[in-house]
């Protein structure tokens, strides 16, 4: 938080900070918390815009739609908003230039979506949240988020569940472990405990520990770990780009393997796409935070992403007839794991 505040208040031309990380890791919550703390630094106001880069059931805003939305938030009458995207972007920047305004651009899909929204005035600041680090966005300070520590996870669980006696118990430690310390998963567990006082934490931990049931129990009201992950996977699968479709297929293959880490040679054999395409697919999975690179060339998903990938692998196998020419996962040895 301190580093993020410093990045946004340092002298310079429209400081921009990108908060990135996997689904449910707390990017939006951090952005809004820091924005609230910086209210005095930006006295002309703060504008929050949800870009819907990974919102279930919604298509991401185009850059032109986002520019129009910001112009309307700034009080521009619809009839005065230029139809040409370049002219609309120029108007946006001219309106923001003399001000000290903070833009919070939540859930960005890409650098191209964000770039036309950046103000030109030195007094403005921008916080962007995205599953991608948006490395193509020049001049931005980047703040990748990881899951919480054990202590932070236990505190979130206690605070939101209302179970004051939960701290330090074996059940609490098990719930923290089974949620992968992911804030979204912890909030769901806490909500379920708060809604059902008769539900013992140990019972819920037992439900989460079931090999095939964890994601089923990580849904409550409008919160769902599975749905949040599915937005990114499904967008990759439906993309016109070959690397995106390969990435979705590769994630399913990962779900079919019980290995701690994965390398491109093994996955290339399983997908049949060759190592160059497989490496491009793995880079896309890294970029959208569905994989982590534990060491160069070695990839591993978060535990809950692994569960999701296993589900999708099962669905894919059930929907598609077996290819007798394809190698079986059980018959393929990964040289790095032998």
């Amino acid at each position: 938080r301190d580093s993020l505040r410093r990045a946004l208040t340092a002298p310079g031309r429209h400081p921009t900070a990108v908060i990135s990380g996997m689904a449910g890791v707390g990017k939006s919550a951090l952005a809004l918390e820091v924005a609230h703390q910086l209210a005095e630094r930006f006295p002309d106001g703060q504008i929050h815009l949800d870009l819907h880069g990974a919102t279930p059931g919604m298509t991401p805003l185009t850059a032109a739609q986002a520019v129009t939305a910001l112009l309307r938030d700034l009080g521009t009458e619809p009839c005065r908003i230029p139809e040409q995207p370049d002219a609309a972007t120029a108007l946006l920047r001219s309106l923001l230039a003399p001000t000290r305004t903070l833009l919070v651009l939540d859930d960005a899909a890409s650098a191209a979506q964000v770039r036309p929204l950046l103000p030109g005035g030195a007094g403005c600041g921008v916080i962007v949240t995205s599953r991608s680090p948006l490395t193509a966005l020049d001049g931005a300070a980047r703040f990748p988020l990881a899951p919480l520590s054990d202590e932070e996870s236990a505190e979130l669980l206690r605070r939101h569940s209302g179970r004051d006696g939960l701290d330090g118990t074996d059940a609490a430690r098990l719930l923290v472990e089974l949620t992968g310390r992911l804030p979204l998963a912890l909030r769901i567990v806490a909500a379920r405990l708060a809604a059902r006082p008769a539900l013992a934490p140990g019972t819920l931990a037992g439900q989460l520990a079931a090999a095939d049931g964890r994601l089923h129990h990580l849904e409550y009201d409008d919160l769902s770990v599975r749905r949040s992950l599915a937005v990114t996977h499904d967008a990759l699968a439906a993309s016109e780009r070959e690397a995106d479709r390969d990435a979705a297929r590769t994630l399913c293959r990962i779900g079919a393997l019980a290995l701690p880490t994965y390398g491109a040679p093994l996955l290339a054999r399983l997908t049949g796409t060759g190592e160059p395409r497989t490496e491009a697919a793995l880079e896309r999975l890294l970029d959208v935070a569905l994989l982590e690179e534990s060491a160069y060339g070695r990839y591993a998903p978060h535990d809950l992403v692994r569960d999701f990938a296993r589900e999708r692998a099962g669905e894919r196998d059930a929907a598609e007839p077996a290819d007798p020419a394809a190698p079986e996962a059980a018959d393929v040895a990964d040289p790095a794991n032998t």
Side-chain angles (χ1 to χ4, degrees):
R1 292 176 177 82
D2 291 342
S3 298
L4 180 56
R5 284 194 294 267
R6 285 195 297 270
L8 290 164
T9 56
R13 183 173 175 270
H14 58 80
T16 300
V18 176
I19 304 171
S20 63
M22 68 176 291
V25 80
K27 303 179 292 294
S28 298
L30 175 60
L32 293 176
E33 178 183 342
V34 171
H36 177 72
Q37 294 170 354
L38 295 178
E40 293 185 0
R41 171 66 176 76
F42 298 98
D44 291 311
Q46 300 182 7
I47 300 176
H48 178 276
L49 179 61
D50 193 337
L51 298 173
H52 298 300
T55 303
M58 298 198 70
T59 302
L61 295 184
T62 65
Q65 289 171 333
V67 169
T68 297
L70 289 176
L71 286 171
R72 288 178 175 174
D73 285 343
L74 289 167
T76 306
E77 296 179 6
C79 62
R80 296 184 179 277
I81 297 176
E83 294 183 3
Q84 293 300 318
D86 289 347
T89 296
L91 176 60
L92 175 64
R93 288 176 174 162
S94 68
L95 291 175
L96 289 173
T99 72
R100 293 170 62 187
T101 302
L102 179 65
L103 302 182
V104 179
L105 306 176
D106 202 10
D107 194 17
S110 66
Q113 185 189 34
V114 170
R115 199 173 288 115
L117 313 180
L118 300 180
C124 294
V126 183
I127 303 176
V128 185
T129 72
S130 177
R131 297 187 184 186
S132 167
L134 303 182
T135 53
L137 200 62
D138 295 336
R142 291 180 175 81
F143 299 88
L145 292 191
L148 301 175
S149 67
D150 287 346
E151 295 75 16
E152 292 168 332
S153 299
E155 169 60 19
L156 187 155
L157 192 59
R158 183 199 61 77
R159 186 171 67 250
H160 289 279
S161 69
R163 304 284 185 102
D164 292 334
L166 195 57
D167 286 351
T169 64
D170 289 341
R173 285 189 286 271
L174 189 54
L175 287 171
V176 166
E177 179 181 349
L178 289 168
T179 55
R181 300 162 186 81
L182 188 69
L184 174 59
L186 287 162
R187 285 176 57 208
I188 292 170
V189 167
R192 296 192 64 199
L193 290 173
R196 298 183 62 186
L199 176 61
T203 300
L204 181 53
Q207 294 172 347
L208 291 173
D212 298 327
R214 180 152 49 166
L215 293 182
H216 173 71
H217 294 290
L218 291 177
E219 294 186 350
Y220 187 82
D221 199 355
D222 64 335
L223 303 176
S224 170
V225 171
R226 179 192 287 115
R227 190 164 60 247
S228 186
L229 293 172
V231 174
T232 301
H233 170 271
D234 294 350
L236 291 172
S239 173
E240 296 180 357
R241 296 177 55 192
E242 180 181 72
D244 288 353
R245 297 192 303 274
D246 285 347
R249 183 163 51 250
T250 299
L251 187 68
C252 289
R253 289 301 186 185
I254 286 173
L257 297 177
L259 295 172
T261 62
Y262 310 87
L266 167 64
L267 293 170
R269 284 195 62 190
L270 291 176
T271 58
T273 55
E275 286 192 37
R277 278 178 60 180
T278 300
E279 289 172 353
L282 290 167
E283 287 184 7
R284 284 295 293 135
L285 291 173
L286 284 175
D287 190 53
V288 296
L290 286 174
L291 279 186
E292 299 174 356
E293 192 171 24
S294 55
Y296 182 73
R298 303 302 303 169
Y299 305 92
H302 184 277
D303 287 347
L304 298 182
V305 176
R306 192 187 299 272
D307 288 348
F308 174 81
R310 188 179 299 116
E311 282 190 355
R312 288 305 172 101
E315 294 170 4
R316 186 184 184 94
D317 290 345
E320 297 182 356
D323 181 357
E328 290 292 334
D331 297 332
V332 180
D334 187 355
N337 287 308
T338 57

